[in-house]
Amino acid sequence: MVERLAHVERMSTARAVADELDDRLRAVARPERADGERRYLKSDLEHLGVSVPEIRKVATAVHRERPDLTHDELVMLVEALWEQPVHERRMLAAELLDLANTALSANDVPLLERLLRESHTWALVDPVAIRVVGTLVERDPQAWDPIVRRWASDADMWLRRASLLVHLPQLRRGAGDVDRFTEIADELLDEREFFIRKAIGWVLRETGKQRPDLVTEWLRPRAARAAGVTVREAVKHLPEEHRERVLAARPRRSRES
């Protein structure tokens, strides 16, 4: 009972801090931006019209003002921000997780998975998947491998997208385990969901900047299976010879469309 009361009190404090941060966001909001952004993202959330750079300024200020924030305090603040259906509050929660990711581990899968499931848009899924979970995957790949593979076969499309994007930070630097990514990409190559097809192509495109031979060798025998958007993204920055080899493996109708 005492422990529960203490938790309620800490959560109440977190909500008060979240409301104060909400005020900071609203102070720099541009209502004329909000409607366009909501339509663009096809969002059901409230949008204040705060730009990503402004959200990051607030996150950086919080990180600087509260250097001793514990793991549990961070989680409660993130949950307090997230529980209101406001796009910028949720973006701020993702930014705070990114700045304080050293406090996180695979033990935080329930929280991170819930955020991904409840995002319902690439604008929230991508920062959590790439900059938060991607960093954790790089730090402890063995612990995260079964989690990411489970996400790859989840019924939730956004978790499947996340299972691809978590590999992006390492692969775009020429590091990371390409085989881990390509195994998942191969499983998802026949997907009908646009955001999955685009994600495969995106990660291949970034990987190809450092390792064009590897991307070409993997994609060429799969070029006929892959969706047009996947191939178009993947070959964008490949050397001309590599790009032509991949495109030549596409059915003629696909090449002309």
Side-chain angles (χ1 to χ4, degrees), residues 164-212:
L164 297 160
L165 295 184
V166 297
H167 303 278
L168 184 57
Q170 296 181 77
L171 295 179
R172 71 179 2 151
R173 298 196 318 268
D177 189 332
V178 179
D179 289 342
R180 272 196 174 97
F181 165 72
T182 53
E183 285 174 17
I184 292 173
D186 198 37
E187 291 174 15
L188 298 178
L189 202 60
D190 299 312
E191 273 269 0
R192 304 298 298 173
E193 293 284 357
F194 170 82
F195 287 106
I196 303 297
R197 294 173 163 188
K198 185 74 175 281
I200 296 171
W202 179 12
V203 180
L204 287 172
R205 182 189 76 204
E206 295 302 308
T207 304
K209 290 178 181 179
Q210 301 287 338
R211 291 177 275 198

Side-chain angles (χ1 to χ4, degrees), residues 38-92:
R38 184 171 56 248
R39 287 194 299 270
Y40 173 66
L41 295 176
K42 300 178 181 177
S43 174
D44 293 328
L45 300 175
E46 177 185 356
H47 283 249
L48 305 178
V50 184
S51 68
V52 172
E54 290 289 354
I55 295 171
R56 286 177 177 163
K57 283 183 185 178
V58 175
T60 301
V62 174
H63 191 59
R64 184 176 61 248
E65 293 161 6
R66 299 173 180 271
D68 299 323
L69 201 68
T70 67
H71 169 273
D72 290 352
E73 289 169 340
L74 170 66
V75 168
M76 286 185 179
L77 178 55
V78 165
E79 290 177 334
L81 285 165
W82 196 272
E83 67 186 1
Q84 296 296 323
V86 178
H87 176 79
E88 287 83 353
R89 284 177 65 120
R90 295 186 173 189
M91 282 287 295
L92 179 56

Side-chain angles (χ1 to χ4, degrees), residues 221-232:
R222 296 169 175 82
R225 277 178 59 206
V229 66
T230 301
V231 175
R232 287 193 297 273

Side-chain angles (χ1 to χ4, degrees), residues 222-245:
R222 296 169 175 82
R225 277 178 59 206
V229 66
T230 301
V231 175
R232 287 193 297 273
E233 284 294 316
V235 303
K236 271 184 181 177
H237 299 297
L238 290 179
E240 183 68 24
E241 179 185 349
H242 291 66
R243 183 164 56 250
E244 290 303 320
R245 285 169 57 199

